């Protein structure tokens, strides 16, 4: 191998490690050198300047090793200067604000920033798992599938290795502490949304804003300008960065323009809705008071201009992952934007014209540019070539990089002449260098475009995917449309802005496009895979983040994973936090070459949101903790709280669970005491949460006849009736009492859980199925406070409060009607509705008062009940008493039970049709051995039954026989639905569903409750434990 | 997320609506002995134009028939229940009542 030597110029700079010398050039760059910022990386204190990113500051401090690779733990350095960064993932901040996997290239430097490298142990420089590299030949693509799936899945091999594999193959670790910062959500509407604030986006926003409509401009970086800040081009004779600053100021002054820097448009959703995340405070050590860390924007735009730019692609040659191999555009950006010279002696390897500008700019920055290695036989456009020659830099036409030399970082580059087909010819030569600046051409950033559902199309001449026909109201401008030169960007952006504004309804203004020098370009060569001569060691990495090499893709091809989607899943190509921004094109090209097809025929993998990672905190926004869902409170909520009740959630409502008599009274003791009090004397329960639907109209009774399985036409005014509804498929939907308040006026009640659903159900039938019915329905759940007063003393107590005759003759069981509380007492009168209905099985009434009077009425009843030792009772006692009475509720109405299953089959009217009537008669719905509602008691009289526990035959085997040996699982004949404890019977009780249960009363079966570790024999009994004749409620 | 033109309220975001189901179904008449199984269980899963019902629960609480392309999510027309039919060519593209969805 002969050493490559360029024409001698001044003495060659050494390729000594960068730490020994300053990397920051004396002046230049768009940083504020008067503002020095301190930060630490892996505990080492360093400084940078205002305007730096963490990456540029690290490079300026000579840090060339920033992370370890995912699989092989190889040394990796900063590779890019943007959102595509695959290597420089760091853990940012400490404590609860710690955030893993942030891209150093996108982290703005601030004073006090703390960053740590990831995926290494014990230190970055000495990572013990770098030994993985030694076994690399034995862990190819698909290693885990091959080793741990199939036959091996039945062994414990995977379980044995999983922990250490997961630890070794990893990204950064986060924190388990709660995020102390706030996140915000915003919604915005505009005529034109411009995504990307580079030259195209600025020109588009300027043109769109002139139309007068609302314009929003978002850009993911700290400031607008895009590549104008990284290059040295001029617009209308003005320096690019200055033009960008002027544009920003001009746009900011317009009232119809909203500028959102530091904002990433991460998702393009249906009907032109774009999701963006604004990093409001990520450039600060912590957010200012009352400011969020990030803000999630949902922007609905009439028209969208995509000016998302392009991403430079790498070249695949051996050991191309060594620190010091960088994208050419990034090398130039670090010099121009941050005044950082990333190396002293640079070799450029390229397949296109653009990298020539890196050679010029780095030469001007004082670096020694060793040579431009151009893979194209003819090289760049003549003026560019001349500019390079003028600087005395050699250009090698038709040469390709073969291997990066060096162990800890780049010390040289081996190159080789290639022919028209890309095959090597002649001998290798080597060039000494400390930076290899590579360019595999620029790929339009099509993420958002593709998320609209539109397809990218391959362009042979430009060797890149371009946006195809749009599917939503959007257009691409500038580099993301494959128009890479500045003059094309300005022209395209301007035209796109005008077009978008016009399509959104604005008049076309007279406005000249900004102009830049027209720079012709020679086409790139569609080659990314560089030759690898026999005996050249090292992997040609394609995906740096996921450690996928050319050989892995070729292996996937040999093993049949040829579609790009299969390729991705088999090799992990294009996975990870960067989602293949710098690897997919080369990867697809390698696969296309292996298959012998054009790259355009392989297509692309599907682009899905988000374009770059989005913090879950931003997506959750302010809807966390108690703000996760609204809390519904009854009008008596404050009384319950003051009384010190325990709470239970019922949907969005909170309801009292128990009212402990003293501190330390447990749940069981409290609800047993409350149950005894109601059955012994008197109790009061808040039942406001039951759904209440007011139904009125001439056809109201007919409508109820169709909704419920039982008849309603004969129900007299002033009476209530229990009703049961089926779904269309014949299974039970809901139950409740409905009262006839007037000839054409009914009040329906539903269960708490189904209140919303039944209301929608009613609206569906009235609006869609039977619009001819003259019926209107309105939810009045929140308009009325409801309370149940129950117990043998209920009549006696209530009689002192309301103005009605409550005798059995005047107001019998199931009577209802209006009444007045404290009639004639000035200031205390409350209009009310009274219903004699009972859920507890006791003599009971339900009182409804307008919601505003809820607490007053409640307190009045508590006072009136004092002589009878009234107690407030909660959900536990309520539920316990309904189990004692065998009333069905949610656990029995589980969407699988029929009316017959629940013992309510006789309610089904045969004289009319109703919802579910026909399908309820299907053979399987009427089978006699279906699971039926039964009561259950423990044979030993003391073991508590477990809700959800399985019921099996008394002599069922303890365990299922070995299924492999043809054994059968233990047959389940039913399950426990609701459990309680009857103080009257003084033993546990339960309801359950048991196959053919009604015919099995007194049979003893077994309850198996492995979750709670209980097992006991239970006796099947009738599902009514207390007062089976119903004497009390009729009394 | 779609935008749906409610015939009573105007164009609203999808979050205000609940999807109800196939809008082309007709429930068997009261008293009918047949057709219930088909009505409850049998559904087409069309790729392309489909009429479906959406319930404007966080708005006027009316049911809205929405003619939607299930492939592109383009909304071709909206109206009251029964007002929108499934045939695609009865509403010329671009002149559709509900074409506020932002499709180019």
């Amino acid at each position: 191998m002969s050493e490559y030597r360029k024409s001698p110029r001044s003495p060659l700079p050494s390729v000594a490690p960068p730490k020994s010398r300053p990397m920051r050039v004396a002046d230049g760059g768009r940083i504020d050198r008067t503002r020095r910022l301190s930060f630490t990386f892996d505990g080492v204190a360093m400084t940078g300047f205002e305007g730096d990113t963490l990456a540029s500051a690290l490079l300026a401090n000579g840090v060339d090793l920033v992370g370890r690779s995912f699989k092989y733990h190889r040394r990796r350095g900063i590779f890019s200067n943007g959102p595509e960064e695959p290597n420089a993932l760091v853990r940012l901040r400490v404590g609860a604000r710690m955030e893993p996997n942030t891209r150093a290239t996108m982290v703005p430097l601030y004073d006090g920033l703390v960053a740590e490298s990831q995926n290494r142990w014990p230190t970055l420089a000495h990572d013990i798992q770098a030994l993985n590299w030694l076994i690399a030949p034995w862990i190819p693509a698909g290693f885990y599938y091959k080793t741990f799936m199939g036959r091996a899945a039945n062994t414990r091999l995977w379980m044995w290795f999983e922990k250490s594999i997961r630890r070794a193959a990893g990204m950064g670790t986060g924190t388990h502490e709660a995020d102390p910062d706030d996140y915000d959500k915003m919604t915005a509407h505009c005529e034109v949304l411009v995504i990307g604030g580079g030259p195209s986006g600025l020109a588009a926003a300027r043109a769109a804003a002139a139309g007068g409509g609302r314009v929003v401009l978002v850009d993911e970086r700290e400031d607008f300008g895009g590549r104008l800040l990284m290059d040295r081009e001029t617009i209308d004779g003005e320096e690019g960065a200055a033009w960008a600053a002027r544009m920003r100021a001009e746009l900011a002054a317009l009232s119809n323009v909203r500028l959102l820097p530091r904002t990433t448009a991460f998702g393009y959703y249906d009907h032109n809705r774009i999701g963006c995340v604004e990093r409001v405070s990520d450039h600060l050590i912590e957010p200012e008071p009352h400011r969020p860390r990030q803000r999630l924007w949902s922007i609905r735009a009439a028209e969208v201009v995509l000016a998302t730019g392009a991403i430079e692609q790498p070249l695949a040659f051996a050991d191309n992952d060594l620190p010091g191999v960088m994208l050419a555009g990034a090398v130039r950006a670090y010099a121009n934007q941050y005044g950082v010279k990333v190396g002293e002696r640079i070799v450029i390897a390229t397949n296109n014209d653009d990298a020539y500008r890196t050679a010029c700019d780095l030469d001007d920055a004082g670096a020694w540019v060793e040579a431009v290695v151009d893979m194209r036989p003819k090289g760049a456009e003549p003026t560019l070539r001349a500019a390079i020659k003028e600087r005395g830099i050699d250009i090698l036409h038709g040469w390709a990089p073969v291997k990066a030399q060096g162990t800890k970082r780049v010390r040289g580059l081996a190159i080789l002449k290639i022919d028209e087909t890309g095959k090597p010819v002649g001998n290798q030569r080597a060039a000494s260098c400390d930076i290899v600046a590579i360019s595999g051409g620029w790929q339009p950033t099509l993420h958002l475009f593709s998320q609209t559902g539109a397809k990218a199309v391959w362009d042979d001449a430009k060797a890149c995917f371009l946006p195809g026909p749009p599917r939503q109201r959007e257009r691409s401008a500038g580099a993301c449309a494959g128009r890479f030169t500045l003059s094309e960007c300005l022209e395209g952006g301007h035209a796109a802005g005008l077009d978008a504004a016009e399509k959104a309804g604005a008049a076309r203004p007279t406005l000249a496009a900004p102009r830049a020098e027209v720079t012709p370009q020679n086409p790139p060569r569609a080659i990314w895979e560089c030759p690898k001569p026999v005996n050249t060691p090292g992997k040609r990495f394609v995906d740096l983040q996921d450690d996928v090499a050319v050989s892995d893709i070729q292996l996937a091809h040999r093993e049949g994973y040829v579609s790009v989607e299969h390729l991705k899943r088999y090799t992990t190509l294009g996975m990870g936090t960067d989602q293949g921004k710098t690897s997919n094109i080369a990867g697809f090209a390698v696969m296309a070459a292996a298959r012998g097809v054009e790259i355009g025929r392989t297509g692309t993998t599907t682009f899905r949101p988000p374009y770059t990672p989005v913090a879950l905190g931003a997506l959750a926004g302010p809807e966390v903790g108690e703000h996760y869902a609204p809390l519904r409170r009854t009008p008596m909520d404050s009384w319950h709280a003051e009384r010190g009740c325990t709470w239970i959630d019922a949907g969005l409502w909170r309801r009292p669970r128990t009212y402990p008599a003293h501190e330390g009274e447990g749940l069981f003791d409290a609800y047993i005491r409350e149950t005894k009090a109601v059955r012994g004397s008197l109790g009061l329960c808040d039942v406001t949460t039951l759904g209440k639907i007011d139904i009125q109209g001439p056809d109201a009774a007919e409508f109820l006849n169709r909704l419920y399985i039982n008849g309603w036409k004969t129900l007299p005014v002033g009476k209530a009736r229990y009703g049961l509804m089926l779904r269309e498929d014949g299974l039970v939907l809901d139950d409740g009492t409905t009262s006839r308040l007037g000839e054409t006026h009914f009040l329906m009640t539903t269960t708490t859980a189904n209140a919303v659903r039944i209301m929608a159900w009613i609206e569906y039938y009235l609006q869609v199925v039977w619009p001819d019915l003259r019926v209107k329905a309105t939810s009045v759940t929140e308009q009325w406070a409801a309370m149940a007063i129950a117990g043998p003393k209920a009549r006696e107590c209530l009689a002192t409060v309301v103005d009605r005759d409550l005798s059995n003759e005047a107001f019998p069981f199931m009577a209802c009607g209006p009444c007045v509380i404290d009639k004639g007492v000035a200031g205390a009168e409350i209009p009310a509705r009274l219903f004699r209905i009972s859920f507890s099985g006791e003599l009971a009434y339900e009182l409804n008062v307008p919601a505003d009077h809820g607490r007053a009425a409640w307190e009045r009843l508590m006072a009136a009940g004092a002589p009878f030792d009234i107690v407030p009772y909660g959900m536990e006692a309520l539920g316990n008493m309904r189990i004692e009475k065998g009333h069905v509720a949610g656990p029995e109405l589980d969407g699988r039970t029929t009316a017959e299953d629940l013992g309510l089959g006789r309610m089904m009217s045969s004289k009319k049709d109703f919802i579910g009537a026909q399908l309820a008669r299907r053979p399987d719905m009427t089978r006699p051995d279906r699971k039926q509602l039964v009561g259950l008691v423990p044979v030993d009289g003391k073991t508590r039954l477990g809700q959800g526990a399985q019921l099996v035959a008394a002599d069922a085997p303890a365990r299922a026989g070995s299924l492999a040996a043809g054994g059968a699982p233990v047959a389940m004949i039913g399950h426990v639905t609701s459990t309680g404890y009857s103080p009257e019977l003084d033993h546990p009780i339960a309801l359950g569903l048991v196959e053919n249960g009604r015919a099995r009363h007194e049979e003893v079966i077994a309850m198996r409750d492995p979750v709670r570790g209980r097992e006991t024999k239970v006796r099947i009994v009738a599902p009514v434990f207390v007062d089976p004749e119903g004497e009390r409620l009729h009394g | 997320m779609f935008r749906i033109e409610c015939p009573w309220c105007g164009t609203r975001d999808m979050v205000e609506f609940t999807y109800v189901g196939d809008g082309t179904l007709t429930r068997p008449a009261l008293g009918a002995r047949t057709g219930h199984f088909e009505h409850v269980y049998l559904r087409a899963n069309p790729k392309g134009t489909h009429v479906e019902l959406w319930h404007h629960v966080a708005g006027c609480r009316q049911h809205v028939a929405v003619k939607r392309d299930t492939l592109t999510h383009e909304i071709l027309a909206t109206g009251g229940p029964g007002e929108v039919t499934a045939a695609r060519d009865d509403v010329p593209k671009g002149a559709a009542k509900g074409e506020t969805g932002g499709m180019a």
Side-chain angles (χ1 to χ4, degrees):
Chain A
M1 189 188 297
S2 68
E3 179 84 349
Y4 167 76
R5 297 232 182 271
K6 72 191 296 278
S7 29
R9 210 161 50 164
S10 49
L12 288 173
S14 79
V15 287
K19 267 179 192 148
S20 58
R21 54 194 158 71
M23 308 293 285
R24 189 85 71 173
V25 296
D27 52 21
R30 304 183 212 291
I31 47 171
D32 182 354
R33 290 175 194 255
T34 65
R35 297 212 48 204
R36 191 173 277 276
L37 309 173
S38 309
F39 70 102
T40 67
F41 178 65
D42 279 347
V44 179
M46 303 180 192
T47 62
F49 294 112
E50 180 83 30
D52 262 325
T53 62
L54 175 58
S56 68
L58 286 170
L59 287 166
N61 282 277
V63 176
D64 57 359
L65 172 63
V66 293
R68 288 281 177 169
S69 74
F70 180 74
K71 186 172 168 185
Y72 302 126
H73 288 249
R74 282 172 63 88
R75 301 164 63 87
R76 294 286 165 80
I78 292 162
F79 186 65
S80 74
N81 71 321
E84 67 271 33
E85 177 63 33
N87 287 345
L89 303 181
V90 299
R91 188 164 67 184
L92 210 56
R93 304 185 288 269
V94 292
R97 291 195 166 93
M98 186 181 283
E99 185 182 353
N101 304 325
T102 61
R103 293 150 298 160
T105 50
M106 294 300 282
V107 173
L109 193 69
Y110 54 82
D111 204 42
L113 181 147
V114 177
E116 276 201 45
S117 58
Q118 305 182 155
N119 202 28
R120 83 292 190 267
W121 189 86
T123 68
L124 187 56
H126 305 280
D127 176 12
I128 208 154
Q129 278 172 336
L131 292 170
N132 280 4
W133 180 245
L134 299 178
I135 58 163
W138 293 280
I139 46 175
F143 166 72
Y144 300 109
Y145 299 120
K146 288 166 184 164
T147 311
F148 297 112
M149 297 292 155
R151 194 166 295 181
N154 283 335
T155 71
R156 302 222 164 167
L157 202 61
W158 170 249
M159 291 161 82
W160 182 263
F161 283 112
E162 181 182 8
K163 232 177 179 176
S164 55
I165 287 172
R166 290 209 190 280
R167 199 181 320 117
M171 295 287 174
T173 50
T175 171
H176 291 283
E177 288 177 61
D179 191 335
D181 295 328
D182 293 325
Y183 296 84
D184 200 6
K185 281 186 182 176
M186 289 283 278
T187 301
H189 298 262
C190 61
E191 271 65 50
V192 180
L193 169 65
V194 181
I195 300 171
S200 316
L202 286 168
R206 170 178 173 266
R214 292 164 298 174
V215 174
V216 178
L217 174 64
V218 304
D219 189 272
E220 63 187 327
R221 293 188 185 257
E222 293 298 293
D223 202 354
F224 296 102
R227 283 241 45 121
L228 291 174
L229 308 179
M230 308 168 198
D231 287 335
R232 302 188 300 170
E233 291 181 281
T234 55
I235 297 170
D236 293 328
E238 188 177 7
E239 194 209 346
W243 180 86
R246 190 164 58 78
M247 279 303 116
R248 177 185 183 145
E250 284 181 15
L251 289 168
L254 297 175
S255 61
N256 60 328
V257 175
R258 188 198 290 271
L259 297 178
L260 293 173
R262 300 185 174 120
T263 303
T264 303
F266 63 81
Y268 202 133
Y269 302 94
D270 289 318
H271 297 192
N272 263 20
R273 175 177 177 261
I274 287 85
C276 306
V277 64
E278 181 187 6
R279 290 172 295 279
V280 181
S281 307
D282 280 359
H283 62 295
L284 304 170
I285 190 158
E286 61 182 71
E288 290 166 10
H290 312 298
R291 297 268 291 167
R293 171 167 290 283
Q294 296 182 351
R295 185 179 285 140
L296 186 75
W297 287 81
S298 170
I299 301 178
R300 187 77 73 166
E303 299 288 335
V304 170
V305 176
L306 294 173
T308 51
I311 296 172
E312 196 168 29
Q313 299 300 307
L315 299 169
F317 51 91
D319 291 339
N320 59 344
D321 66 329
L322 275 178
V325 178
M326 295 178 74
L327 291 173
V331 170
R332 184 164 90 231
Y334 284 116
N336 292 329
Q337 186 169 3
Y338 307 104
V340 175
K341 196 169 55 172
V342 296
E344 291 295 332
R345 208 167 147 172
I346 296 169
V347 174
I348 314 262
T350 182
N351 69 1
N352 66 88
D353 276 13
D354 187 68
Y356 282 66
R357 292 153 73 191
T358 301
C360 296
D361 289 3
L362 267 287
D363 184 67
D364 291 354
W368 177 268
V369 180
E370 187 82 8
V372 175
V373 179
D374 194 328
M375 296 167 82
R376 299 169 297 179
K378 292 208 176 95
E381 181 277 327
T383 48
L384 272 178
R385 288 209 305 262
I388 300 293
K389 289 270 165 64
E390 204 172 280
R391 288 170 160 83
I393 302 169
D394 276 2
I395 306 174
L396 289 112
H397 289 144
W399 286 71
V402 173
K403 185 181 190 308
Q405 297 169 330
T407 48
K408 293 196 165 178
R409 64 160 296 134
V410 166
R411 304 301 284 272
L413 179 70
I415 56 174
L416 196 55
K417 182 105 177 145
I418 55 173
D419 66 12
E420 296 292 319
T421 62
K423 295 270 176 325
V425 285
N427 293 328
Q428 281 187 37
R429 294 162 73 181
S432 284
C433 59
D434 58 356
I435 290 289
V436 177
I438 56 174
S439 178
W442 293 77
Q443 287 296 323
T445 308
L446 297 180
H447 298 70
L448 295 176
F449 166 79
S450 299
Q451 288 169 19
T452 66
K455 293 274 175 265
V457 291
W458 178 255
D459 186 295
D460 257 334
K462 296 190 163 169
C464 65
F465 283 99
L466 294 179
R471 280 268 291 269
Q472 296 212 34
R473 291 180 187 268
E474 53 84 12
R475 72 277 299 136
S476 299
C480 72
R483 305 182 70 198
F484 297 111
T485 67
L486 181 55
S487 61
E488 288 176 306
C489 287
L490 294 170
E491 188 192 309
H494 184 77
L498 289 179
D499 176 60
E502 198 171 23
K503 294 262 165 57
R508 187 173 272 262
T510 15
L511 187 70
R515 301 218 169 275
E517 196 190 332
V518 176
T519 48
Q521 287 197 309
N522 275 359
R525 183 171 179 182
I527 181 167
W528 294 272
E529 179 189 341
C530 301
K532 189 183 180 199
V534 204
N535 298 331
T536 303
K539 278 186 183 290
R540 291 174 291 173
F541 284 97
V542 173
D543 186 333
L544 293 174
Q545 187 170 91
D546 300 297
D547 273 349
V548 178
V550 170
S551 54
D552 294 313
I553 297 166
Q554 290 166 340
L555 176 72
H557 171 254
R558 287 199 301 277
E559 299 193 336
Y561 298 94
V562 296
S563 112
V564 289
E565 297 288 359
H566 289 159
L567 172 66
K568 174 173 181 171
R569 281 143 190 89
Y570 194 60
T571 63
T572 70
L573 172 76
M575 292 194 178
T577 63
D578 67 339
Q579 287 287 299
K581 291 185 178 62
T582 58
S583 61
N584 275 345
I585 299 305
F588 300 161
V590 173
M591 179 55 81
R595 290 173 62 189
V597 299
E598 298 289 307
I599 182 170
R601 284 199 45 210
T602 67
T604 66
T605 46
T606 306
F607 291 89
R608 295 187 180 88
Y611 153 69
T612 50
V614 177
L616 288 176
L619 296 175
E623 288 124 32
V624 293
E626 62 177 315
H627 301 297
Y628 178 68
L631 176 65
R632 298 179 80 182
R633 302 167 193 261
T634 74
M636 290 81 94
D637 184 90
S638 58
W639 191 93
H640 306 318
E642 286 162 26
R643 176 65 178 66
C645 73
T646 61
W647 298 101
I648 188 164
D649 290 334
L652 295 176
W653 295 97
R654 67 169 187 183
R655 301 188 69 179
R657 189 175 193 183
T658 59
Y659 299 84
H662 53 84
E663 214 172 304
E665 188 185 39
L667 179 72
F668 180 79
D669 290 344
Y671 89 73
I672 294 300
R673 178 181 50 74
E674 290 170 15
T675 302
K676 281 182 182 165
V678 174
R679 298 241 185 268
S681 178
L682 193 56
L684 187 63
C685 183
D686 183 349
V687 293
T688 304
T689 62
L690 289 180
K692 296 182 276 294
I693 300 171
D694 198 272
I695 299 173
Q696 299 194 39
D699 297 326
E702 169 63 24
F703 182 53
L704 293 176
N705 248 7
R706 299 180 188 184
L707 285 183
Y708 282 119
I709 67 174
N710 45 336
W712 294 84
K713 292 208 166 162
T714 57
L715 182 71
V717 174
K719 281 291 235 181
R721 180 169 286 171
Y722 174 74
L724 193 71
M725 289 181 207
L726 305 186
R727 310 190 306 211
E728 286 282 9
D729 64 5
L731 294 165
V732 174
L733 171 64
D734 200 52
D735 69 345
T737 56
T738 289
S739 310
R740 192 164 203 165
L741 304 179
E743 193 53 40
T744 59
H745 186 189
F746 291 82
L747 181 72
M748 173 188 282
T749 66
T750 73
T751 59
T752 300
N754 279 334
V756 172
R757 186 175 171 193
I758 300 298
M759 187 64 217
W761 179 255
I762 286 173
E763 285 166 333
Y764 171 76
Y765 282 96
L766 288 180
Q767 292 170 24
V768 180
V769 183
W770 300 309
D772 52 313
L773 287 182
R774 293 163 300 164
V775 180
K776 295 288 174 200
T778 305
S779 168
V780 293
T781 304
E782 299 199 329
Q783 277 65 35
W784 295 89
M787 52 209 86
I789 179 159
K793 303 290 183 192
R795 179 183 290 124
E796 215 175 314
C797 170
L798 201 58
T800 66
V801 177
V802 300
D803 62 336
R804 280 194 87 111
D805 176 0
L806 297 178
S807 68
N808 230 354
E809 297 69 37
F811 204 71
F813 181 57
M814 283 300 195
C816 70
C819 67
V820 178
I821 294 173
D822 287 338
K823 189 174 176 75
V825 182
E829 228 178 74
I830 301 173
R833 287 172 177 168
L834 191 64
F835 307 83
R836 190 170 160 195
I837 53 181
S838 175
F839 198 45
S840 58
E842 295 301 319
L843 169 64
Y845 300 85
E846 199 177 301
L847 195 65
N848 285 10
V849 299
D852 286 350
H853 296 288
R855 178 157 177 169
W858 177 276
E859 287 181 0
R860 179 72 183 85
L861 288 175
M862 284 302 293
F868 309 102
D869 298 324
I870 192 170
V871 297
Y873 64 99
M875 287 285 283
E876 288 295 332
L878 181 81
N880 195 41
M881 285 188 277
R882 73 101 186 158
I883 294 167
E884 285 186 312
K885 288 295 294 178
H887 290 156
V888 294
E892 289 79 35
L893 308 180
D894 65 355
R896 293 177 294 183
T897 45
T898 66
E900 186 66 30
D901 296 344
L902 302 175
L904 302 169
R906 278 173 303 157
M907 283 176 68
M908 283 173 68
S909 168
S910 56
K911 298 191 192 113
K912 57 154 191 167
D913 195 11
F914 53 89
I915 293 170
Q918 302 303 326
L919 293 187
R921 297 193 179 108
R922 284 178 289 170
D924 254 35
M925 306 280 276
T926 51
R927 249 180 30 234
D929 61 342
R930 283 178 64 87
K931 288 181 186 172
Q932 295 162 347
L933 183 73
V934 294
L936 299 165
V937 293
V939 170
D940 66 5
K942 53 181 200 284
T943 304
R944 304 281 300 282
L945 305 182
Q947 192 174 15
Q950 306 222 337
L951 298 172
V952 299
D955 57 354
R959 283 184 67 95
S962 163
L963 299 185
V970 179
M972 181 178 118
I973 58 171
H975 67 281
V976 179
T977 54
S978 303
T979 60
Y981 187 94
S982 173
E984 260 179 65
L985 305 176
D986 201 22
H987 62 67
I989 56 170
L991 298 178
L993 292 163
V994 176
E995 282 174 11
N996 197 22
R998 271 197 291 278
R1000 299 168 81 159
H1001 287 184
E1002 295 309 312
E1003 193 178 310
V1004 171
I1005 58 173
M1007 182 201 77
R1008 299 260 172 90
D1009 191 0
V1011 175
R1012 300 178 187 83
R1014 280 185 220 152
E1015 198 172 324
T1016 192
K1017 293 273 192 290
V1018 294
R1019 175 175 290 111
I1020 300 174
V1021 296
V1024 188
F1025 298 93
V1026 167
D1027 187 24
E1029 306 305 320
E1031 283 162 11
R1032 296 184 196 175
L1033 57 105
H1034 289 100
Chain B
M1 242 189 281
F2 317 149
R3 298 236 286 171
I4 296 171
E5 188 180 314
C6 171
W8 295 278
C9 306
T11 303
R12 294 289 187 273
D13 199 283
M14 190 175 97
V15 295
E16 293 186 11
F17 296 82
T18 299
Y19 179 75
V20 177
D22 191 333
T24 63
L25 299 173
T26 308
R27 189 186 184 278
L30 221 52
R33 287 293 181 133
T34 57
H36 290 273
F37 179 83
E38 293 75 7
H39 174 246
V40 170
Y41 292 106
L42 300 187
R43 295 286 183 279
N45 185 15
K47 175 180 173 181
T49 309
H50 186 44
V51 174
E52 50 203 25
L53 279 177
W54 291 73
H55 190 192
H56 198 184
V57 287
C60 61
R61 295 203 64 93
Q62 294 297 305
H63 284 75
V64 181
V66 175
K67 174 145 73 167
R68 184 171 71 95
D69 188 319
T70 58
L71 202 60
T72 63
H73 296 175
E74 184 177 6
I75 289 177
L76 301 155
T78 61
E83 285 178 22
V84 179
T85 51
R88 190 186 174 108
D89 43 11
D90 66 333
V91 182
K93 203 174 170 184
K97 190 177 178 185
E99 194 166 63
T100 51
M103 293 291 174

